[in-house]
């Protein structure tokens, strides 16, 4: 009989989950912070929504200069704007890029963040930050960037198109899968990830069949939060190491890259991670984890090939060179140059890992 032994860290933040209640939730959180000069960060496409969400708080400025993967020059401009307006809190309304920019400001200023997600990215529930410079994406962990509070409102998700909902939801699913074998994984992370897979597998097909359905949006949002909490504790596994390189170095769309690469990483690792294989397969309702994932992806009409989205075949070798040094030592399957090359080639051409 083995002895269970692990160290688990739970990050401290408040979560408000209520459909149609985002404006009230944001106002309540800003009041708790005692802030009176708030910086609202939102991409141009989210500005109208952001103004509605922030209608009852003291807004000092609305900052719209948001870019995918948070280039360092974009972060510098946001930090300068926060300083110029002497802001004392940040409200970010949007997806992972918007949350990432808010984190970049908090990293150097310590300003508290209230995050209002409009995708299933999950960045709002982690203390992970990322900045891109010269084709290299650097990530780190710092408690200063963890949002003080999250305001979840499924009604804000109904404007997210189905195709973007699918890749964003599969990005959340990637958090679950990586949490099964990441460097700091433990039984609590695996339990959270398993429940998250159940919720995502139930919610995403409802979004595809009925995009305006709040039930599907709520289930998916709940699953995305659990997935992010598991990932925040477990750390980045092989999947995220691969996708951070592909996104930062070749400017590939973040969520879409995760959606395409995920089945290939799962196919590589599952044979040598029997407990994770059993959990994932059970949560997806498949006889194997990979088959369950692929059946879900088929139902969702998920993207299949990186070559359709900007990644070139002649970039595979370069990507392998950059990824190999950051492969976690704890990965369940030994990652060789040949294995990684085959994985990236399959993801590039859209091969079925089954």
């Amino acid at each position: 009989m083995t002895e269970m032994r692990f160290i688990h860290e739970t990050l401290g933040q408040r979560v408000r989950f209520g459909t149609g209640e985002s404006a009230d939730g944001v106002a309540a959180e800003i009041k708790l912070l005692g802030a009176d000069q708030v910086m609202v960060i939102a991409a141009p496409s989210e500005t109208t929504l952001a103004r509605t969400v922030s209608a009852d708080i003291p807004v000092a400025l609305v900052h719209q200069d948001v870019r995918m993967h948070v280039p360092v020059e974009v972060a510098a401009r946001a930090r300068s704007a926060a300083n110029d307006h002497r802001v004392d809190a940040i409200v970010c309304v949007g997806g992972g890029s918007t949350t990432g920019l808010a984190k970049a400001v908090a990293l150097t200023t310590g300003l508290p963040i209230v995050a209002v997600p409009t995708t299933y990215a999950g960045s709002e529930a982690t203390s992970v930050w990322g900045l891109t410079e010269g084709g290299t994406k650097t990530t780190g962990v710092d408690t200063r960037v963890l949002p003080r509070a999250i305001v979840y409102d499924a009604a804000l998700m109904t404007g997210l198109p189905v195709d973007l909902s699918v890749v964003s939801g599969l990005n959340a699913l990637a958090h679950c899968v990586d949490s099964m074998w990441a460097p700091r994984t433990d039984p609590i992370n695996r339990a959270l990830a398993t429940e998250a897979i159940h919720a995502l597998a139930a919610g995403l097909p409802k979004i595809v069949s009925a995009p305006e359905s709040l039930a599907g949006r709520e289930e998916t949002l709940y699953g995305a939060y659990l997935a992010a909490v598991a990932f925040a504790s477990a750390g980045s596994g092989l999947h995220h190491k691969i996708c951070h390189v592909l996104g930062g170095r070749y400017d590939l769309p973040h969520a879409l890259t995760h959606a395409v690469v995920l089945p290939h990483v799962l196919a590589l690792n599952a044979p040598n991670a029997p407990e994770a294989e059993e959990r994932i397969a059970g949560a997806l309702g498949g006889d194997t984890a990979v088959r369950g994932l692929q059946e879900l992806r088929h139902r969702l009409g998920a993207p299949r090939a990186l070559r359709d989205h900007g990644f070139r075949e002649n970039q595979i070798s370069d990507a392998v060179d950059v990824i190999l040094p950051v492969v976690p030592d704890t990965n369940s399957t030994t990652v060789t140059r040949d294995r990684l090359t085959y994985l990236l080639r399959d993801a590039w051409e859209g091969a079925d890992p089954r």
Side-chain angles (χ1 to χ4, degrees):
M1 183 176 181
T2 60
E3 180 182 355
M4 184 178 292
R5 181 184 289 115
F6 61 87
I7 298 173
H8 179 84
E9 182 174 350
T10 299
L11 300 178
Q13 65 181 180
R14 186 166 35 256
V15 176
R16 292 178 182 263
F17 199 111
T19 299
E21 300 176 1
S22 54
D24 290 343
V26 168
E29 290 301 328
I30 292 301
K31 183 178 180 179
L32 286 171
L33 290 172
D36 56 16
Q37 288 284 100
V38 180
M39 178 183 193
V40 175
I41 299 179
S45 60
E46 303 276 19
T47 302
T48 300
L49 180 60
R51 292 190 187 280
T52 300
V53 168
S54 61
D56 298 324
I57 63 173
V59 177
L61 79 155
V62 177
H63 188 82
Q64 300 175 285
D65 185 10
V66 177
R67 285 268 308 279
M68 187 170 61
H69 305 303
V70 195
V72 292
E73 63 274 14
V74 172
R77 289 195 291 269
R79 290 164 177 165
S80 178
N83 182 64
D84 291 346
H85 288 79
R86 298 182 180 180
V87 304
D88 52 8
I90 302 168
V91 170
C92 56
V93 182
S97 298
T98 303
T99 308
L101 182 58
K103 287 181 170 184
V105 177
L107 182 65
T108 58
T109 64
L111 289 169
I113 301 170
V114 176
V116 186
T118 60
T119 71
Y120 309 107
S123 176
E124 68 278 358
T126 80
S127 56
V128 178
W129 57 267
L131 293 167
T132 302
E133 182 175 23
T136 299
K137 186 170 186 177
T138 301
T139 61
V141 176
D142 195 303
T143 55
R144 287 176 297 179
V145 309
L146 178 71
R148 196 73 57 85
I150 310 171
V151 177
Y152 284 122
D153 182 349
L156 304 182
M157 304 291 176
T158 56
L160 187 65
V162 169
D163 58 338
L164 296 182
S165 297
V166 166
V167 297
S168 184
L170 290 173
N171 180 16
L173 192 60
H175 291 146
C176 303
V177 172
D178 241 9
S179 295
M180 294 291 184
W181 45 57
R184 300 189 305 274
T185 193
D186 61 45
I188 297 175
N189 298 328
R190 296 189 191 104
L192 289 169
T194 302
E195 172 64 12
I197 296 172
H198 276 290
L200 293 166
L204 284 169
K206 292 177 185 176
I207 292 175
V208 172
S209 62
E212 299 302 316
S213 166
L214 288 175
R217 299 284 181 178
E218 284 183 341
E219 281 182 291
T220 304
L221 193 56
Y222 165 69
Y225 169 68
L226 292 182
V229 172
F231 175 71
S233 175
S236 293
L238 176 64
H239 173 86
H240 280 78
K241 296 299 185 182
I242 291 172
C243 291
H244 284 162
V245 169
L246 295 179
R249 194 168 183 84
Y250 312 109
D251 201 31
L252 301 185
H254 178 83
L256 188 144
T257 302
H258 282 269
V260 172
V261 171
L262 179 58
H264 303 283
V265 175
L266 180 58
L268 175 69
N269 276 354
N272 295 309
E275 181 186 354
E277 153 71 26
E278 184 176 355
R279 282 180 174 272
I280 296 167
L284 291 172
D287 55 351
T288 70
V290 173
R291 192 181 305 277
L293 176 59
Q294 288 299 80
E295 289 172 355
L296 175 63
R297 285 166 45 81
H298 178 72
R299 291 174 65 192
L300 300 178
R304 294 178 55 191
L306 291 179
R307 66 179 174 184
D308 296 334
H309 304 282
F311 188 52
R312 302 193 305 271
E313 185 177 15
N314 63 6
Q315 293 173 322
I316 292 174
S317 178
D318 175 69
V320 169
D321 289 339
V322 181
I323 294 168
L324 273 176
V326 296
V327 171
D329 294 338
T330 57
N331 197 61
S332 59
T333 298
T334 301
V335 179
T336 64
R337 175 173 293 276
D338 284 346
R339 282 176 174 162
L340 186 54
T341 299
Y342 292 144
L343 186 155
L344 290 180
R345 187 171 299 279
D346 281 353
W348 170 78
E349 69 179 27
D352 189 338
R354 289 179 294 183

